[in-house]
Amino acid sequence: MSRKTKLLIGAFAVVVMLISIWGTYKHISENFVYHDENHILVSTTGERMIAPDFTVFDIEREETTLSEHLGKKTVVSFWATWCTPCKLMLSNFNKVYKEMGNDVEFMMINLTDGMDETIEVASKHVKNSRLKVPVYYDLSYSAAHSYHVETLPLTIFIDENGYISNIHQGYLDKEQIEDYISSISNI
């Protein structure tokens, strides 16, 4: 491949990436606003939003969707092993899961790009950390795109009927996780 062709492909990739970033920014800025210093994102319209469905994979590479996990309070958290706050937060989710696991559905979604983040790297972290909280792998970034994930960690709290109750961008300690879960309601 010639240098000119490589440059054109690279330029095209940059343009596509910029369009994607702009689309994500536009969606977030039009539909959500930061509520306070705790980085809580809330709907700008005040209307409840149905949680977008997505497909992810378990460690055995079996498919599952968000909609299969709805019916009770659900927590979806996006993370990666290169994100230190994410790894610290996973242990907090693990503690809450051990206490509430039967009453709340947990989906810890690893952003698995296959290069920087692989199933092997992420599952090794899960095993070494002795995590019991359910971990899933977003191999095609379909879940990340559904929620316009720009930074990690990002956690979505969903009610029993599939509506987004809260979205939190950033680290959560154990008490904050418990508070968010207890505040999930079916208005």
Side-chain angles (χ1 to χ4, degrees):
M1 188 179 308
S2 73
R3 180 175 166 85
K4 185 176 180 180
T5 303
K6 288 179 184 178
L7 287 173
L8 284 173
I9 291 171
F12 179 74
V14 169
V15 169
V16 168
M17 180 182 71
L18 290 173
I19 291 170
S20 174
I21 290 170
W22 172 251
T24 299
Y25 170 77
K26 189 172 186 314
H27 174 81
I28 293 286
S29 64
E30 288 176 353
N31 295 295
F32 296 97
V33 65
Y34 283 105
H35 184 263
D36 61 20
E37 68 280 354
N38 293 322
H39 303 288
I40 300 171
L41 289 168
V42 296
S43 171
T44 56
T45 64
E47 295 179 18
R48 298 179 63 203
M49 295 179 61
I50 278 284
D53 202 8
F54 56 78
T55 300
V56 290
F57 300 85
D58 65 17
I59 189 65
E60 306 297 326
R61 296 186 190 227
E62 296 292 322
E63 275 188 9
T64 190
T65 61
L66 172 64
S67 56
E68 292 173 34
H69 295 267
L70 297 176
K72 53 183 167 181
K73 293 178 180 183
T74 303
V75 178
V76 175
S77 189
F78 292 93
W79 70 283
T81 58
W82 48 261
C83 168
T84 300
C86 296
K87 292 190 297 186
L88 295 171
M89 203 165 78
L90 273 176
S91 68
N92 296 335
F93 276 114
N94 199 57
K95 292 172 189 168
V96 175
Y97 173 74
K98 287 178 182 178
E99 295 170 7
M100 300 182 176
N102 293 327
D103 299 324
V104 179
E105 190 71 33
F106 290 85
M107 296 183 77
M108 305 295 103
I109 310 296
N110 178 262
L111 298 185
T112 315
D113 66 5
M115 295 180 309
D116 294 327
E117 189 78 359
T118 64
I119 287 180
E120 294 76 22
V121 167
S123 62
K124 181 178 178 182
H125 173 75
V126 169
K127 181 180 178 183
N128 290 343
S129 300
R130 295 186 170 101
L131 297 175
K132 300 299 180 201
V133 65
V135 172
Y136 300 92
Y137 303 91
D138 190 6
L139 302 177
S140 64
Y141 278 29
S142 66
H145 290 302
S146 295
Y147 288 89
H148 306 281
V149 176
E150 291 182 9
T151 60
L152 294 176
L154 180 72
T155 306
I156 297 95
F157 298 87
I158 304 167
D159 74 13
E160 292 92 335
N161 296 315
Y163 286 94
I164 296 173
S165 178
N166 282 299
I167 299 175
H168 183 92
Q169 190 170 23
Y171 176 81
L172 290 166
D173 63 29
K174 181 179 181 286
E175 290 75 26
Q176 289 173 307
I177 295 168
E178 292 168 339
D179 288 346
Y180 271 116
I181 290 171
S182 67
S183 73
I184 297 172
S185 64
N186 293 335
I187 300 171

